[in-house]
Amino acid sequence: MPGVNHLEPLVHLDKDADTFPKLLVRKAAELGAKTALREKEFGIWQSTSWQQYHEHVRDFSLGLISLGLERGDKVAIIGNNRAEWVYAELAAQGAGAVSVGIYQDSTLNEVAYVIDHSEAAFVVAEDQEQVDKILDMIEKLPKVKNIIYTDPRGMRNYKHPALISFTAVEEKGRELARQRGSLWMENVGASCADDVAIICYTSGTTGFPKGAMLTFRNLLTMAGNLNQVDAKRPGDEFVSFLPLAWIGEQMMCMSSGLTIGFTINFPEQPSTVMEDIREIGPHIMFAPPRVWENITSTVQVKIMDTTRLKRLLYNLSMPVGQKIADLRFKKQPITLAWKIAYALAYWTTFRALKDRLGFTHIRTCSTGGAALGPDVFRFFHALGVPLKQIYGQTEISGISCIHTDEDIQFHTVGKPIPGTELKISEHGEILSRSSSVFVGYYKNEAATQDTLAEGWLHSGDAGYLTEDGHLIVIDRIKDVMQLADGTQYSPQFIENRLKFSPYIKEAVVVGKSRPYLTAMLCIDMGVVGKWAEGRKIAYTTYTDLSAKPEVYDLLHKEVDKVNETLPAAAKIRKFVLLYKELDADDEELTRTRKVRRVFVEERYKEVISALYGEAQQVPIDTVIKFQDGKTARIQTTLLVRQLTMV
Amino acid sequence: MNAAQLEVRDVTLRFGGVTAIRDVSFEVQKGAIHAIIGPNGAGKTSLLNAISGVCRPQRGKIVFDGQDITRLRPYERTSRGLARTFQNIALFKGMTVLDNLLVGRHTHEHCGILKGGLYYGPGEKEEVAQRMVVEDIIDFLEIQHIRKKIVGTLAYGLQKRVELARALALEPKLLLLDEPMAGMNAEEKEDMARFVIDSNQDRGTTVLMIEHDMGVVMDISSRVVVLNFGVKIADGTPLEVQRNPHVQKAYLGQEDAEIAATAEA
């Protein structure tokens, strides 16, 4: 990249192991029959050794070549987390091609956009559902040569000439290997550190997604640097259940997994993830805040339903755990009495609870992508689960900052990982520089130059550094707004405060160039539903539940609590409970569940104008979209709730 | 290949003075999805009961796979390859999904009290083999996440799916479904329709089902029999049946049917 002056990486890549395919070959030789991947099928964990892993990748890679894949081509992959997903990625890279992941819950148009923009020659799709999405759009995708499917279920009548099964491609690969036995190793040898390994489409909060090109050097130096402060070991277990199209999962499953050589476990179904985690008992875990929040609220709901003895033990133990966690956060000494109390709490409660959650072996776990509430943080630390916050972007291979084991402060995102320079620009923007910064956006030179101006990666986030060098992230720079009276405020800061309430799933704070702040809230159906059941409030649907006056009263109190902590000008004056959850399929959230403010404010403009008018209610008549392109109509009336200001 | 899987010949079923079914005959071809429709009280479930052996018809014959099974008991029919689900779910509510399905494998088990009780040796081998079949069905119907849940705690739509799973665990040649989609929401119906089609095409099971949702019936069945007051009034492809004036009359009443007929003309 001209103009970009990469820092000398702290981690030096070995020339024989500076790409994913080379690492795979090396691990297959070193670890051979040890388990590389595990996938639950028919109720049993089926293991794949490093040797077999290597063979699958080799066969599929050669198969792609015999179908006409050339160096520099793109291979798009869409589906749930399965072994075939990672085979396909490594196979593409082994053939000198680039892997492009697509979120499995993408709509038709999103799938078509990524395939078309990346000019993918091959698409690897998991099953009928994904194949349908591509076949529906195939006329607009002339560059696609073949669609390769892994699960033949339900496709007996599919006769499209472009379709071919995963195993058939592997068979073609074995045929090619019989003719040109050395081709695979030649190809692997030809891959080099500065080849583009993946294009990660970032579902931006505005406009079309951009394809960030990351090289092997980017991805592998990140893994090496990260491992110095957050150690993972060979033989560790990891459960891969977040979209492999997301940089976070690439970071764990591919970059770190191949560097360290730990075992990756794929769950049986998306719906069985929590049980599968319990069965595996992973050593490493990485998940966005919503997963940790879900676990916390599930535990709390279940404790309400359990036997009196268990509830009593839980209620006695939890404050002890939290006290210890707080002392550790503040780096204060723990007295012997507290140590004994904690030992009691551990043996009566935490040990069993950790086992229930599958956290018995957990050694390193982190949350990233958004802020996590202090209560949730404290909950896990009380149990003895060392949860850390991380910060990063796709453009820096996923991570630039992390908490270290001894230094966890839940309002910060930690310190830069080794080999990473971080500074705050004059405008308050977080800038970073390292060997893991990407080489550019695919086919978007203008955006690349903006993002990499003056050799620094511009994150677009506003933040500041504390005295002891921790980074604090405030919000997206463009979202930091001025109120009519000139007060600066960050909507995300207030939204996070609101979302720390277990009853609130999603919150959008409005107030740009307006006299005061208002909020649109989405209730958490599970928790509010349980609350309503406990009070014998009958409800039918999400729309119905969120329109109940009792639910409004409940949320009113929650908003009041947050308002108490806010300065007068930043208090929320009015709120509504939306009739549906914000959804990525309606373009209201990104695929990583970040609010797309511009779209939301446009879509709910009637609601917003009612929030700034005199109206007590808003009539709603709207159409919602489903993933398969179907639509449904919703008609209802939203109440506007006004808060009293003290 | 186009042989009849099931023949119903002149079947009459009476309960005391009430004639539930009168002289009904039809054939279900191998590999078909065959639907029975009709207004409430038309005798659909009675007909299914006569086929599965819950009721014994006073007159007529039921021929399954070329054999007369009219006089056989329900379990004897089951061992010949006939399985059914019920309108009001009939599962063991206090048992897990897995155990319910393993019960469905009963007719395929050969170890007696001794061998089974000893467990080690043939008992264990059989248990593993049966579990494999059951797991295959669990995978097929996508119910992995409830494998170890107690049936009574599951949502209605899922219980319906478990009942289908248990029927499939019998590995039947003919599957009788009594309103598989009743009481389901649109999404569950769509899933269920897909499972019925997949059972039919991937597993080669012939399906005979009673269903009220006309959309589903018209979409997935190859043939439809229409009953009204215990009498067969039509038998044909979904399109033929839809156009049949007798059917329109039965469903819409006399006058409306005339209007519909003129509208179509």
Side-chain angles (χ1 to χ4, degrees):
Chain A
M1 265 314 289
V4 177
N5 184 15
H6 282 303
L7 278 187
E8 193 58 30
L10 266 184
V11 175
H12 286 277
L13 298 177
D14 183 345
K15 202 152 173 23
D16 300 323
D18 60 355
T19 69
F20 287 177
K22 282 181 189 168
L23 270 170
L24 177 66
V25 171
R26 174 181 277 196
K27 292 289 169 201
E30 281 173 12
L31 301 170
K34 293 221 173 77
T35 303
L37 307 172
R38 224 180 265 123
E39 188 170 349
K40 199 173 181 190
E41 258 185 313
F42 304 117
I44 293 172
W45 288 98
Q46 322 265 356
S47 301
T48 305
S49 71
W50 284 95
Q51 190 60 44
Q52 291 164 321
Y53 187 6
H54 177 219
E55 283 161 12
H56 277 291
V57 170
R58 179 193 64 202
D59 294 347
F60 193 68
S61 180
L62 294 175
L64 287 175
I65 290 172
S66 71
L67 286 172
L69 181 78
E70 284 170 26
R71 294 194 75 81
D73 275 354
K74 318 290 180 301
V75 177
I77 310 169
I78 182 167
N80 284 321
N81 300 33
R82 301 252 174 252
E84 284 84 359
W85 210 113
V86 292
Y87 297 161
E89 172 169 347
L90 287 164
Q93 290 161 348
V98 180
S99 148
V100 181
I102 306 177
Y103 287 90
Q104 59 267 44
D105 50 0
S106 300
T107 58
L108 293 180
N109 287 325
E110 290 166 338
V111 173
Y113 177 83
V114 173
I115 293 175
D116 180 56
H117 185 266
S118 65
E119 299 170 7
F122 292 89
V123 184
V124 180
E126 187 191 4
D127 53 11
Q128 185 188 13
E129 185 189 348
Q130 307 297 355
V131 168
D132 280 347
K133 289 184 191 171
I134 300 153
L135 285 181
D136 272 3
M137 291 287 187
I138 195 77
E139 258 119 63
K140 292 182 194 151
L141 305 168
K143 296 218 173 71
V144 174
K145 289 184 193 149
N146 281 110
I147 303 164
I148 299 151
Y149 59 89
T150 41
D151 182 0
R153 164 109 192 259
M155 307 223 320
R156 64 201 94 73
N157 295 326
Y158 284 49
K159 299 282 185 271
H160 198 282
L163 283 172
I164 180 167
S165 77
F166 197 92
T167 43
V169 177
E170 285 190 323
E171 186 47 49
K172 278 179 186 293
R174 282 189 283 273
E175 229 166 79
L176 186 61
R178 281 191 282 274
Q179 293 156 21
R180 299 174 61 189
S182 60
L183 182 60
W184 164 247
M185 286 313 287
E186 286 165 23
N187 283 343
V188 172
S191 65
C192 73
D194 292 306
D195 287 347
V196 173
I198 57 173
I199 299 181
C200 241
Y201 276 81
T202 55
S203 38
T205 47
T206 49
F208 283 112
K210 290 178 285 191
M213 294 185 285
L214 292 157
T215 64
F216 292 115
R217 186 184 301 285
N218 294 154
L219 297 165
L220 289 174
T221 53
M222 179 281 297
N225 287 329
L226 173 61
N227 206 50
Q228 296 187 4
V229 283
D230 184 50
K232 303 163 197 76
R233 302 173 194 151
D236 278 353
E237 299 286 343
F238 173 75
V239 180
S240 167
F241 63 97
L242 295 159
L244 276 159
W246 178 49
I247 187 68
E249 199 61 29
Q250 284 284 329
M251 173 174 114
M252 299 307 294
C253 237
M254 308 303 290
S255 314
S256 295
L258 286 169
T259 303
I260 317 291
F262 53 75
T263 306
I264 315 274
N265 297 279
F266 297 107
E268 188 165 30
Q269 285 277 307
S271 49
T272 60
V273 167
M274 281 303 149
E275 282 163 54
D276 293 338
I277 288 179
R278 187 185 177 200
E279 288 177 6
I280 292 296
H283 301 87
I284 310 164
M285 199 161 148
F286 174 55
R290 74 190 136 88
V291 171
W292 302 107
E293 282 158 6
N294 269 342
I295 296 173
T296 316
S297 62
T298 311
V299 169
Q300 284 161 351
V301 166
K302 291 219 165 135
I303 288 293
M304 283 188 241
D305 285 344
T306 189
T307 58
R308 275 196 200 157
L309 177 66
K310 284 185 188 166
R311 193 160 49 235
L312 178 74
L313 284 174
Y314 177 86
N315 289 336
L316 286 174
S317 301
M318 216 50 200
V320 176
Q322 285 172 338
K323 174 76 185 172
I324 297 288
D326 281 339
L327 289 173
R328 288 215 184 102
F329 288 144
K330 290 180 200 145
K331 303 193 191 70
Q332 285 169 358
I334 299 161
T335 60
L336 184 65
W338 278 115
K339 276 185 186 158
I340 294 167
Y342 189 79
L344 273 172
Y346 174 80
W347 285 100
T348 55
T349 313
F350 298 154
R351 188 167 173 271
L353 189 54
K354 273 168 81 175
D355 172 54
R356 274 286 166 163
L357 298 171
F359 290 163
T360 304
H361 303 305
I362 208 110
R363 201 181 60 237
T364 161
C365 57
S366 41
T367 166
L372 184 66
D375 290 343
V376 179
F377 238 104
R378 204 174 278 125
F379 172 83
F380 283 103
H381 281 269
L383 289 188
V385 176
L387 187 59
K388 302 173 186 177
Q389 180 81 46
I390 72 148
Y391 170 75
Q393 292 86 31
T394 303
E395 290 80 356
I396 195 161
S397 308
I399 184 165
S400 55
C401 294
I402 188 168
H403 284 144
T404 52
D405 292 326
E406 315 75 41
D407 195 8
I408 289 168
Q409 306 177 12
F410 47 67
H411 61 291
T412 77
V413 296
K415 293 178 180 176
I417 59 171
T420 307
E421 259 190 290
L422 199 94
K423 73 170 186 185
I424 308 296
S425 79
E426 298 151 28
H427 310 292
E429 183 174 8
I430 301 167
L431 308 181
S432 40
R433 194 153 74 163
S434 81
S435 53
S436 303
V437 170
F438 78 141
V439 293
Y441 293 114
Y442 186 57
K443 297 200 296 192
N444 193 344
E445 194 51 40
T448 305
Q449 284 186 355
D450 286 350
T451 309
L452 292 176
E454 291 140 30
W456 289 87
L457 172 69
H458 290 60
S459 64
D461 290 330
Y464 59 92
L465 289 164
T466 61
E467 274 170 20
D468 51 359
H470 279 250
L471 176 68
I472 292 183
V473 183
I474 303 170
D475 199 345
R476 302 293 296 164
I477 279 203
K478 60 175 188 301
D479 290 343
V480 177
M481 294 168 192
Q482 265 191 345
L483 291 176
D485 70 347
T487 330
Q488 290 260 357
Y489 90 103
S490 150
Q492 194 181 306
F493 177 78
I494 304 171
E495 283 162 9
N496 285 336
R497 287 291 168 94
L498 288 166
K499 283 197 282 184
F500 294 158
S501 154
Y503 303 110
I504 300 174
K505 177 100 177 241
E506 210 57 73
V508 182
V509 171
V510 192
K512 192 172 192 175
S513 339
R514 309 256 189 192
Y516 53 87
L517 295 188
T518 57
M520 298 188 284
L521 308 176
C522 297
I523 57 168
D524 187 309
M525 180 89 174
V527 182
V528 177
K530 181 93 191 161
W531 175 88
E533 270 170 40
R535 275 154 197 77
K536 308 221 184 319
I537 299 165
Y539 64 94
T540 53
T541 58
Y542 184 91
T543 311
D544 181 46
L545 180 62
S546 56
K548 295 274 171 213
E550 295 93 336
V551 173
Y552 261 88
D553 291 341
L554 172 72
L555 274 286
H556 192 141
K557 279 184 218 138
E558 294 295 308
V559 178
D560 270 341
K561 268 189 233 162
V562 173
N563 266 347
E564 277 171 27
T565 67
L566 297 171
K571 284 194 205 295
I572 291 163
R573 299 282 183 86
K574 289 183 184 177
F575 74 91
V576 295
L577 301 182
L578 290 179
Y579 49 89
K580 66 178 265 294
E581 283 184 60
L582 297 184
D583 196 325
D585 293 350
D586 291 327
E587 298 182 326
E588 294 160 346
L589 299 177
T590 68
R591 288 284 159 205
T592 47
R593 299 194 68 82
K594 296 199 175 84
V595 173
R596 307 179 78 182
R597 213 168 281 283
V598 181
F599 287 80
V600 171
E601 289 184 11
E602 175 58 28
R603 187 183 169 112
Y604 297 101
K605 57 176 187 279
E606 285 91 12
V607 178
I608 293 174
S609 70
L611 283 167
Y612 290 97
E614 295 300 312
Q616 298 293 312
Q617 49 191 31
V618 209
I620 297 291
D621 186 351
T622 186
V623 171
I624 53 169
K625 256 190 301 194
F626 295 111
Q627 240 182 66
D628 58 2
K630 283 187 190 154
T631 55
R633 189 170 168 200
I634 291 190
Q635 279 175 296
T636 181
T637 305
L638 279 192
L639 304 172
V640 176
R641 181 60 73 96
Q642 180 141 19
L643 294 118
T644 44
M645 290 294 133
V646 193
Chain B
M1 191 58 212
N2 247 350
Q5 178 73 257
L6 178 80
E7 288 171 63
V8 175
R9 285 189 209 148
D10 305 318
V11 166
T12 298
L13 179 68
R14 272 186 228 104
F15 297 106
V18 183
T19 307
I21 307 169
R22 192 193 304 272
D23 292 331
V24 169
S25 306
F26 67 95
E27 281 185 3
V28 178
Q29 299 298 319
K30 254 189 193 131
I33 297 184
H34 206 117
I36 305 174
I37 64 170
N40 286 336
K44 305 181 295 290
T45 300
S46 301
L47 183 58
L48 217 60
N49 283 344
I51 296 169
S52 68
V54 178
C55 306
R56 200 166 289 184
Q58 277 75 14
R59 269 216 328 260
K61 255 190 190 175
I62 291 161
V63 180
F64 178 66
D65 245 354
Q67 283 180 307
D68 185 353
I69 58 163
T70 326
R71 302 282 138 212
L72 294 185
R73 292 174 178 284
Y75 70 86
E76 292 169 319
R77 302 184 192 210
T78 303
S79 60
R80 280 175 165 71
L82 216 123
R84 75 168 290 183
T85 67
F86 292 83
Q87 198 173 342
N88 321 307
I89 300 166
L91 290 162
F92 300 104
K93 304 245 173 190
M95 283 171 27
T96 63
V97 170
L98 194 60
D99 288 340
N100 265 284
L101 299 199
L102 283 167
V103 170
R105 294 297 299 165
H106 175 76
T107 51
H108 294 271
E109 284 174 11
H110 306 290
C111 289
I113 289 179
L114 261 181
K115 281 186 190 167
L118 266 175
Y119 185 65
Y120 295 104
E124 183 182 11
K125 224 165 138 189
E126 178 160 71
E127 197 80 357
V128 171
Q130 303 300 3
R131 176 72 187 267
M132 193 60 223
V133 177
V134 166
E135 283 294 339
D136 194 40
I137 290 161
I138 288 177
D139 182 60
F140 180 72
L141 292 181
E142 295 165 16
I143 48 176
Q144 292 98 333
H145 59 297
I146 53 166
R147 187 187 280 128
K148 290 183 180 157
K149 293 259 158 71
I150 301 292
V151 166
T153 65
L154 298 174
Y156 180 79
L158 275 175
Q159 292 197 17
K160 280 263 181 194
R161 212 190 285 180
V162 174
E163 209 189 17
L164 174 64
R166 187 183 56 184
L168 285 176
L170 286 162
E171 293 183 272
K173 293 176 192 154
L174 175 65
L175 184 60
L176 306 173
L177 304 174
D178 197 347
E179 301 201 18
M181 283 125 198
M184 288 190 169
N185 65 31
E187 199 188 330
E188 288 171 330
K189 268 184 194 171
E190 205 171 287
D191 282 346
M192 198 64 174
R194 191 159 55 85
F195 290 133
V196 172
I197 297 174
D198 285 349
S199 313
N200 175 252
Q201 299 198 352
D202 286 354
R203 304 177 78 88
T205 316
T206 309
V207 177
L208 176 62
M209 66 168 185
I210 298 175
E211 187 46 56
H212 274 298
D213 188 307
M214 282 305 134
V216 173
V217 170
M218 296 302 158
D219 270 356
I220 72 172
S221 46
S222 46
R223 265 190 105 74
V224 181
V225 168
V226 190
L227 295 184
N228 194 22
F229 294 113
V231 181
K232 183 176 97 173
I233 59 169
D235 184 356
T237 65
L239 204 66
E240 286 167 13
V241 166
Q242 234 171 348
R243 297 232 170 106
N244 188 318
H246 295 291
V247 178
Q248 291 177 356
K249 193 172 128 193
Y251 267 91
L252 302 172
Q254 185 72 49
E255 280 172 47
D256 293 346
E258 278 164 15
I259 296 165
T262 29
E264 195 150 305

